[in-house]
Amino acid sequence: DQIEPKYENSLKILEPLIAACETKQYVWLKVRCVYLRSNDEFSLNRYSDAAASAHEAVNLGKKIRDPVGQLNAITTLVEYYRYLGNYPKSLAQIQSALPILASISLDGVQSSRHYGVSAQAFAARGFYDAALNYQETAMRLMPPALAKPAMAYQHAFLGVIKGKRGHFDEALDEVNKAFEIATTPRQATLIAYSALQRGHIYREMGD
């Protein structure tokens, strides 16, 4: 597996950089390095380490009043805990992000990512009304330059949410939008994902 060496090498670069940030008191930079370390640890299936690093980044961000750094780390914790099936902790992280979202203007990439990740957490817990609200917000905030490749996935997932709420015609319409966007062989994964979600919707319909 060529993926593990990639993340192991990344950690080897990050650790001395984090140490240097501590020595020189570059806390803003350390927040970002610890956040990146967390992502690498998660990719290596070191879930406890990843969560600890993300929490460290959140706490450092609070210390220096860096809401952008905080939100990056909080969003990863929402995803980590959702992935691990610890929904109370995942939803608690969504709650902790609310004051940040209300207090600052965020760029479209970061805000769209947070709302999209949170939508997945709500949907996994069965809170489909909240998932719908967050998913639609994520799609509205997505920067136009990123919209086309990412929007196929977003429409397909929105279709799943609407299907879970019993709005089957709207759900199929969203999945069809995903197919309209993902039309090239290079987008085969998105096409497959959209087809899978359409199958889930038909199953919910009982067809």
Side-chain angles (χ1 to χ4, degrees):
D1 192 339
Q2 296 300 311
I3 296 177
E4 281 201 11
K6 171 185 173 182
Y7 295 114
E8 293 285 5
N9 290 336
S10 177
L11 286 174
K12 289 177 183 177
I13 294 169
L14 284 170
E15 291 299 352
L17 184 55
I18 291 170
C21 288
E22 291 175 354
T23 300
K24 297 181 180 296
Q25 293 296 299
Y26 295 159
V27 184
W28 183 91
L29 181 57
K30 183 182 177 184
V31 171
R32 280 137 188 86
C33 291
V34 171
Y35 164 72
L36 292 174
R37 181 179 70 189
S38 172
N39 290 331
D40 289 340
E41 289 166 338
F42 192 82
S43 298
L44 292 167
N45 301 327
R46 291 165 47 184
Y47 302 129
S48 295
D49 291 340
S53 290
H55 279 292
E56 182 181 353
V58 171
N59 292 331
L60 286 169
K62 284 181 183 178
K63 182 178 178 180
I64 63 168
R65 297 182 181 178
D66 174 14
V68 173
Q70 280 181 257
L71 188 63
N72 280 334
I74 288 171
T75 302
T76 62
L77 285 167
V78 173
E79 173 61 12
Y80 293 170
Y81 288 129
R82 181 204 65 81
Y83 179 84
L84 297 170
N86 193 331
Y87 301 124
K89 284 190 174 182
S90 183
L91 299 182
Q93 293 301 318
I94 296 174
Q95 181 73 24
S96 74
L98 293 177
I100 298 174
L101 295 169
S103 65
I104 62 171
S105 296
L106 297 165
D107 70 80
V109 173
Q110 185 182 32
S111 55
S112 178
R113 175 175 174 267
H114 176 77
Y115 280 101
V117 167
S118 298
Q120 292 184 48
F122 280 126
R125 187 63 181 83
F127 297 151
Y128 298 115
D129 288 347
L132 177 67
N133 180 274
Y134 268 68
Q135 179 65 10
E136 289 181 335
T137 301
M139 294 170 71
R140 186 178 70 251
L141 294 172
M142 185 175 293
L146 300 178
K148 188 167 184 180
M151 200 56 84
Y153 167 81
Q154 301 290 354
H155 277 295
F157 183 58
L158 183 60
V160 172
I161 296 170
K162 289 185 174 183
K164 289 291 187 181
R165 297 176 77 242
H167 299 168
F168 298 120
D169 288 342
E170 292 181 18
L172 290 172
D173 183 55
E174 294 296 340
V175 174
N176 288 335
K177 289 177 183 176
F179 277 112
E180 290 171 6
I181 297 169
T183 56
T184 68
R186 294 180 62 185
Q187 295 173 307
T189 301
L190 286 172
I191 294 170
Y193 177 81
S194 300
L196 177 64
Q197 302 316 317
R198 183 163 62 184
H200 288 326
I201 293 166
Y202 280 130
R203 185 179 62 189
E204 292 287 332
M205 293 172 66
D207 291 352

